Amino acid sequence: MSRAYRRYFEPLPKLLEALEEIPDRYNRMQEEIDALEAEGKLFVIRPDQPVTVSRFERDKMKLQELYGDGRRVAEERMEAMCSYLNVPVPEVDLEVVQKENALLAEE
């Protein structure tokens, strides 16, 4: 953490401490998620490639590509997720998917 950042939050030591711990806490949570997934106690749907879109992205094409990637991963994992949840795999209405894809392409 930068000196300017520390100086700015110096009057709030507990907040500063919490902010400094964020990366370690995040990493611990990821390790716990991975362990629970490996044990079969948690089903995780995550991107299959690194996400290069920033949290403040304004480029609609990049956002649409990320949405499309997410939808593809969800569709690929649908059967496994339904099996994990012990529910039937839902029917996919291809007409609805095509309309949605067309709407996304217009933007």
Side-chain angles (χ1 to χ4, degrees):
M1 189 175 292
S2 73
R3 259 183 21 200
Y5 201 67
R6 283 193 191 99
R7 186 176 302 149
Y8 183 80
F9 289 108
E10 191 173 31
L12 305 165
K14 296 228 184 244
L15 176 60
L16 182 60
E17 185 180 315
L19 291 172
E20 288 177 335
E21 189 182 309
I22 288 174
D24 292 333
R25 187 171 57 232
Y26 174 84
N27 290 334
R28 285 192 310 269
M29 288 171 48
Q30 291 303 309
E31 289 170 2
E32 184 177 356
I33 288 169
D34 291 343
L36 291 170
E37 183 181 25
E39 294 171 20
K41 294 180 178 179
L42 189 65
F43 187 87
V44 179
I45 299 174
R46 63 169 59 99
D48 58 0
Q49 51 194 324
V51 175
T52 59
V53 174
S54 82
R55 292 180 290 170
F56 305 105
E57 184 64 63
R58 301 182 112 192
D59 183 332
K60 287 185 180 182
M61 285 301 288
K62 286 183 180 180
L63 293 170
Q64 287 173 351
E65 287 176 16
L66 180 61
Y67 173 82
D69 287 345
R71 183 170 186 118
R72 177 187 50 76
V73 169
E75 288 172 356
E76 289 172 356
R77 303 281 325 267
M78 179 67 73
E79 194 171 320
M81 180 182 68
C82 290
S83 174
Y84 176 83
L85 296 171
N86 199 26
V87 297
V89 177
E91 295 287 326
V92 175
D93 187 341
L94 292 177
E95 186 177 327
V96 171
V97 173
Q98 289 169 344
K99 285 181 183 179
E100 182 181 62
N101 290 339
L103 287 171
L104 288 171
E106 288 176 11
E107 296 181 6

